[in-house]
Amino acid sequence: MSLVVIGSVAFDALETPFGKTDKIIGGAATYITLSASYSVKPVKLVAVVGDDFPQSDVLLLQEHGVDTEGLQIKEGEKSFFWSGKYSTDLNSRETLQTELNVLADFDPIIPDSYQDCKYLMLGNLTPKVQRLVIQRLVNRPKLIVLDTMNFWMDVALEELLTTIEMVDVLSINDEEARQLSGEYSLVKAARKIMAMGPKYLIIKKGEHGALLFCKNKVFFAPALPLEEVFDPTGAGDTFAGGFIGYLAATDDISFDNMKRAVIHGSAMASFCVEKFGTERLVNLTKEEIEARERQFAELVNVEPISIEA
């Protein structure tokens, strides 16, 4: 089923306790499309870069089944750039530098060949741009998933609320869920946020897993304990790509299948953090992914408890 992804394709420069990088390929849409490509092909990309973006990185996306017809390349302009430094425990980070460049006036263009979109993943961008993509599709997709962050809650809350009303699934972290809802309890927060429009809510809790809410149903997927975590950059976007890719591949948006999609997304995110940037995501095998999914399944599988009087 046709999957369209919108988001940033960018350069990142990263520093963690385990090392640092110069400029490498990054951006929400990069992680989302690479992750989704292991479930469904093609993944249709809507994004913008400058003419400083290497053709080799465009080819990397294409080799993974990413359709780049919707990737605008702006002559004489620079790509979005972000630089960050992570704390010792990797749970917090400091933004060292942000250069919006081509993202400052991004006007998303939807190619005619993308108009068959059944699944739409709106990666983190301004709520206005996310909404423009929905409005520029001739037919409403079967499922729209939106990822956002606390920055937009701070500077564009009304725009964000308007966009949230239009989507089926909202994906945010626990801190953002509390900020958006004004509730500390994530159960109360979920109830308030779903009243804003989304039928489903995913609350990501980093190294503590993820929660999926729908009406009065809730599912918890734990995080896999890993021996080595090098770089959490892009883990949330990789999760989102795995989630929407699995749903598009199976074409089943029932709550039970969404639970399986959450497990698949969590498995993909667990690979992402094992190397810097996208390095781990570009060489995965089907066998590795299936083995990792089995590890997750074992974490949540328990025999019925029998209590004798």
Side-chain angles (χ1 to χ4, degrees):
M1 302 297 286
S2 177
L3 169 60
V4 172
V5 173
I6 178 174
S8 58
V9 174
F11 291 124
D12 290 339
L14 311 169
E15 183 175 350
T16 82
F18 308 103
K20 60 191 301 184
T21 71
D22 293 321
K23 281 187 177 182
I24 58 174
I25 185 173
T30 302
Y31 287 97
I32 292 169
T33 54
L34 286 174
S35 180
S37 71
Y38 286 96
S39 296
V40 63
K41 289 182 176 64
V43 182
K44 300 178 179 182
L45 171 65
V46 177
V48 62
V49 294
D51 62 8
D52 59 342
F53 196 77
Q55 182 63 23
S56 59
D57 285 338
V58 176
L59 289 173
L60 172 71
L61 293 172
Q62 293 172 346
E63 288 166 0
H64 276 76
V66 179
D67 183 336
T68 59
E69 185 183 352
L71 177 64
Q72 301 175 43
I73 300 176
K74 293 293 186 75
E75 296 296 328
E77 298 188 44
K78 291 184 177 181
S79 304
F80 174 65
F81 171 68
W82 176 82
S83 174
K85 180 179 180 180
Y86 286 87
S87 63
T88 303
D89 63 4
L90 298 175
N91 285 324
S92 60
R93 70 185 184 190
E94 174 190 0
T95 293
L96 302 178
Q97 190 175 355
T98 300
E99 297 176 5
L100 287 176
N101 298 326
V102 291
L103 272 189
D105 57 357
F106 178 33
D107 184 22
I109 297 172
I110 314 298
D112 290 343
S113 64
Y114 288 21
Q115 287 294 344
D116 62 346
C117 172
K118 294 294 186 294
Y119 290 84
L120 175 62
M121 178 70 226
L122 300 169
N124 180 38
L125 282 174
T126 72
K128 181 179 180 181
V129 170
Q130 291 174 322
R131 189 166 67 254
L132 276 174
V133 173
I134 300 173
Q135 293 169 339
R136 289 176 178 177
L137 289 170
V138 175
N139 299 307
R140 192 187 193 283
K142 181 175 181 177
L143 190 80
I144 302 175
V145 181
L146 182 146
D147 188 87
T148 191
M149 65 182 298
N150 53 356
F151 177 77
W152 304 118
M153 298 173 195
D154 292 334
V155 305
L157 181 59
E158 291 305 314
E159 284 272 9
L160 178 60
L161 291 174
T162 301
T163 305
I164 286 175
E165 286 180 8
M166 304 173 70
V167 308
D168 304 297
V169 184
L170 176 63
S171 176
I172 50 179
N173 67 30
D174 48 352
E175 178 186 346
E176 293 156 351
R178 291 181 171 118
Q179 179 176 343
L180 186 59
S181 66
E183 296 284 354
Y184 182 81
S185 162
L186 293 180
V187 175
K188 289 183 179 178
R191 189 178 302 121
K192 276 195 173 182
I193 292 169
M194 287 188 290
M196 298 174 186
K199 302 179 185 70
Y200 304 91
L201 173 67
I202 295 169
I203 299 180
K204 298 168 288 188
K205 294 169 60 64
E207 63 180 328
H208 302 296
L211 292 157
L212 171 67
F213 293 90
C214 175
K215 296 181 180 177
N216 61 343
K217 299 177 183 177
V218 61
F219 172 70
F220 173 69
L224 186 69
L226 297 169
E227 288 189 23
E228 295 182 328
V229 176
F230 278 87
D231 173 23
T233 307
D237 296 315
T238 302
F239 169 88
F243 175 81
I244 191 73
Y246 184 91
L247 293 178
T250 56
D251 195 25
D252 176 357
I253 59 173
S254 66
F255 186 74
D256 281 343
N257 200 52
M258 283 199 183
K259 292 192 289 186
R260 290 186 281 270
V262 167
I263 293 294
H264 178 74
S266 299
M268 297 302 296
S270 74
F271 287 116
C272 178
V273 302
E274 291 180 332
K275 297 286 185 180
F276 279 104
T278 61
E279 184 180 349
R280 188 72 172 95
L281 291 179
V282 299
N283 293 309
L284 289 173
T285 66
K286 180 181 178 182
E287 290 72 25
E288 283 180 300
I289 295 171
E290 290 176 348
R292 188 62 58 91
E293 289 176 333
R294 285 194 294 272
Q295 287 181 273
F296 271 92
E298 289 169 3
L299 285 177
V300 296
N301 186 32
V302 62
E303 293 295 325
I305 299 173
S306 176
I307 301 177
E308 296 182 7

